[in-house]
Amino acid sequence: MKRLGERIRRKREALHLKLNDLSKKVGISSSALSQIEKAKAFPSILTLKNIADSLNTTVGELIGENETLLNQPLIKTDQKKFVKKNESGTKLYLLSHHDPHKQMETYELEFVSGSDSKGIMTAHPGQEFCHVTEGKLAILLDGKPYVLETGDSFYFNSNITHNAQNIIEGTTRVVWVVTPPNI
C-alpha cells in the first residue's frame, strides 16, 4: 500500500498538480488523498480509477504491474509464457516480462515438422532478428529463399514480406527478436 501512495504522489508531482487540485478532480477531500499518498488509507476501486484517470495513467501503472521488468529481469526456462499456436502447429513463447515501455520483444518460436510462421510473423515497420538454436529453417524474404541451420542468424527489415518454415523432421527452435514490439 505504501508503494501505491508513493506512485500516486510521484505522478501528481510530475504533472505539477497540487494535492488540493487532484483531490477536487477525483472527488475526494484533500485529507483523504493525503492519507492515501501516505499509505494510511487505501482507496476504493472506483476512487483508484478516478485517481488514475485524473493523472492520465492506468490503475495497473499505479499498483505497479509494470515494475516486474525492473524488479525481476530473469525469466527461467519454465517461466516462458505461451502466446499462441498457428494452424500449422508453430508455437510462440514470450521470453520476457510484459512491459509497455519495451523497445523490443523477444520470443521463442517452436516449429514442428513442416510448420510455418503464417499468422505469427507479419510484415510491419521495424526490424527482426532470429537465431536458430535447434534444427533447420527456411526463410522466404521478399521472394528470396534462405536456409538457416543451428547456430545461424538472420536480420532484416520487418516491412518486407517474410515467412519461415521448418524443413526437417523434428523440431526447430528459433529465438526471434522484434522491434518495435508489436506481434
Side-chain angles (χ1 to χ4, degrees):
M1 190 161 70
K2 181 179 180 185
R3 301 204 61 215
L4 170 68
E6 289 171 0
R7 287 186 202 98
I8 292 169
R9 182 186 47 76
R10 278 195 315 264
K11 190 74 172 164
R12 176 180 59 78
E13 290 173 351
L15 294 172
H16 306 290
L17 278 173
K18 293 180 181 178
L19 188 80
N20 193 37
D21 295 335
L22 179 58
S23 67
K24 285 179 185 174
K25 282 183 161 189
V26 174
I28 61 175
S29 69
S30 296
S31 63
L33 182 56
S34 177
Q35 294 287 316
I36 291 167
E37 287 188 356
K38 293 177 182 174
K40 294 182 179 181
F42 192 78
S44 69
I45 296 296
L46 182 59
T47 299
L48 186 58
K49 174 73 171 118
N50 289 339
I51 291 171
D53 290 346
S54 298
L55 293 174
N56 300 318
T57 190
T58 64
V59 170
E61 189 73 30
L62 291 178
I63 64 172
E65 75 177 3
N66 298 324
E67 292 180 1
T68 306
L69 187 61
L70 296 173
N71 298 328
Q72 186 55 267
L74 176 65
I75 300 271
K76 297 295 240 174
T77 191
D78 62 340
Q79 294 174 321
K80 66 183 178 183
K81 299 171 191 91
F82 174 78
V83 177
K84 65 181 170 180
K85 180 178 176 181
N86 71 5
E87 290 181 13
S88 69
T90 299
K91 294 178 184 175
L92 180 69
Y93 297 92
L94 182 61
L95 298 179
S96 59
H97 292 294
H98 172 72
D99 180 353
H101 305 294
K102 280 198 270 188
Q103 296 182 27
M104 65 180 163
E105 197 69 85
T106 51
Y107 297 100
E108 179 181 60
L109 287 165
E110 183 179 282
F111 294 86
V112 295
S113 299
S115 70
D116 61 36
S117 63
K118 289 179 185 162
I120 292 179
M121 298 187 317
T122 59
H124 58 85
Q127 297 181 328
E128 297 184 33
F129 168 83
C130 70
H131 179 78
V132 179
T133 58
E134 176 186 336
K136 195 171 185 179
L137 190 70
I139 295 181
L140 192 61
L141 182 67
D142 203 22
K144 185 174 180 184
Y146 298 88
V147 176
L148 286 73
E149 298 181 9
T150 301
D152 291 346
S153 298
F154 200 73
Y155 189 98
F156 62 97
N157 288 322
S158 306
N159 61 343
I160 299 171
T161 303
H162 54 280
N163 187 42
Q165 183 172 20
N166 182 6
I167 55 174
I168 63 165
E169 289 298 321
T171 301
T172 293
R173 286 186 173 74
V174 176
V175 171
W176 208 277
V177 181
V178 178
T179 183
N182 67 347
I183 287 186

